[in-house]
Amino acid sequence: MKKQGTGGGEPGIHEGGMTGAARAFRLRPFLVPLLSLLLLSACAHHNPLAKWERSPNFDTRRPVVVVLHYTAGKTAEGSLRTLQTANSNGPVSAHYLLGKDGELYQLVDENKRAWHAGDGRWGTITDLNSASIGIEIDNDGYTPYPDVQIEKLIVLLDDLTRRLGIPRQQVIGHEDLAPGRKIDPGPLFPWKRLHEAGFGIWPDPAAGDPPPEFDGWLAMAAIGYPLDDRANALQSFRHHFRGMRSQGAELDAEDLRILYGLSRPLLRTRD
């Protein structure tokens, strides 16, 4: 009689009558969740200064602003390659790229941080990449935006603001948050048309002239513009609301009327 467990069985049989492969197969349903848990734990950051007591009450962080850019490129295909690699300043990306013909590309998941805004500030938001959805629009900065392109942009903005809960007035340009460093989407972008579709801000035409004590710079800061360089902030403001290229650091009468019309709703909200 052959001794049990020492031969006479199939090659590779161990005590208990199970091969190593068979044992691993039986453990597989338990190993996969365990490995997944270990990977998730490795990604999570638990501050060593605090005692970890997990709460189940959380969800993903959400964007609160949409930032519009122009590509300054010749074709959407060329811009697509740049957004998947780098430009002269290093790696760049955006959540969406919108072609002149209305073709829409998504490059980054909406819950991920695309590299599109860079240094800048809008109101109290100082890390726009973490707080925004970036949309690159195929335009060289010197050509009017085609109707089909703006129509598709409006459709996209409606979708994003509905699904993600982004306030519809929180649609700004790259130059609004980074005056002087950026000039896109430029003075040819149709901000008024976008506002008529329900996005961004536009002055109240019924506001009239501001009172003598009205502080236009304070109003500009309240809207969100950083005023570290007033001349550049004024240029971005005039691109956005007057569609004009200009230099200088002094507010004129039309600037003041526009700022009064923009800030009146803010003042009413705070009353």
Side-chain angles (χ1 to χ4, degrees):
M1 179 180 294
K2 295 178 180 178
K3 190 174 180 181
Q4 184 177 2
T6 59
E10 297 178 9
I13 295 291
H14 301 284
E15 285 188 308
M18 184 180 295
T19 66
R23 186 170 294 178
F25 181 80
R26 289 190 60 182
L27 288 173
R28 187 175 178 181
F30 304 97
L31 289 173
V32 172
L34 179 60
L35 288 172
S36 299
L37 182 60
L38 289 172
L39 288 171
L40 288 171
S41 298
C43 295
H45 175 69
H46 298 159
N47 193 331
L49 297 176
K51 180 180 179 182
W52 174 248
E53 292 289 349
R54 183 183 183 278
S55 172
N57 306 322
F58 64 90
D59 57 11
T60 57
R61 295 180 183 268
R62 296 188 179 93
V64 295
V65 184
V66 177
V67 179
L68 304 182
H69 310 251
Y70 63 48
T71 60
K74 295 181 180 179
T75 66
E77 291 73 19
S79 297
L80 189 60
R81 288 191 296 271
T82 299
L83 292 168
Q84 292 172 321
T85 54
N87 62 17
S88 58
N89 295 317
V92 292
S93 63
H95 295 92
Y96 292 95
L97 169 65
L98 179 56
K100 292 184 181 72
D101 59 357
E103 184 75 21
L104 183 64
Y105 307 86
Q106 183 172 2
L107 296 93
V108 177
D109 287 344
E110 292 168 355
N111 62 348
K112 302 296 185 182
R113 184 178 182 271
W115 301 344
H116 64 98
D119 293 336
R121 177 168 54 84
W122 184 248
T124 59
I125 303 171
T126 56
D127 181 1
L128 269 297
N129 279 340
S130 294
S132 66
I133 294 290
I135 302 174
E136 287 279 357
I137 304 170
D138 181 22
N139 187 277
D140 61 8
Y142 301 97
T143 307
Y145 292 78
D147 286 344
V148 65
Q149 192 177 44
I150 298 303
E151 289 166 3
K152 190 59 173 281
L153 176 61
I154 290 170
V155 170
L156 176 59
L157 290 175
D158 185 63
D159 170 67
L160 291 173
T161 54
R162 287 179 186 272
R163 284 191 299 103
L164 304 180
I166 300 172
R168 293 168 74 91
Q169 70 272 20
Q170 287 283 75
V171 180
I172 64 173
H174 199 186
E175 65 178 329
D176 294 324
L177 69 93
R181 188 175 68 84
K182 293 295 178 180
I183 58 171
D184 56 310
L188 297 180
F189 186 79
W191 286 107
K192 184 178 180 182
R193 179 175 174 187
L194 217 64
H195 181 261
E196 289 168 350
F199 303 101
I201 60 173
W202 198 254
D204 178 4
D209 293 331
E213 67 275 12
F214 178 72
D215 188 330
W217 293 112
L218 185 61
M220 191 181 291
I223 291 164
Y225 282 92
L227 298 182
D228 308 86
D229 185 322
R230 290 191 174 190
N232 283 327
L234 183 56
Q235 175 181 258
S236 295
F237 171 82
R238 286 176 173 170
H239 280 186
H240 192 132
F241 295 103
R242 299 180 66 176
M244 61 183 289
R245 304 179 191 272
S246 68
Q247 299 293 329
E250 297 298 326
L251 297 169
D252 65 23
E254 183 61 17
D255 294 324
L256 291 171
R257 277 191 291 270
I258 292 171
L259 284 163
Y260 185 58
L262 288 168
S263 60
R264 278 220 317 174
L266 297 176
L267 296 173
R268 285 199 298 266
T269 301
R270 293 172 183 175
D271 287 344

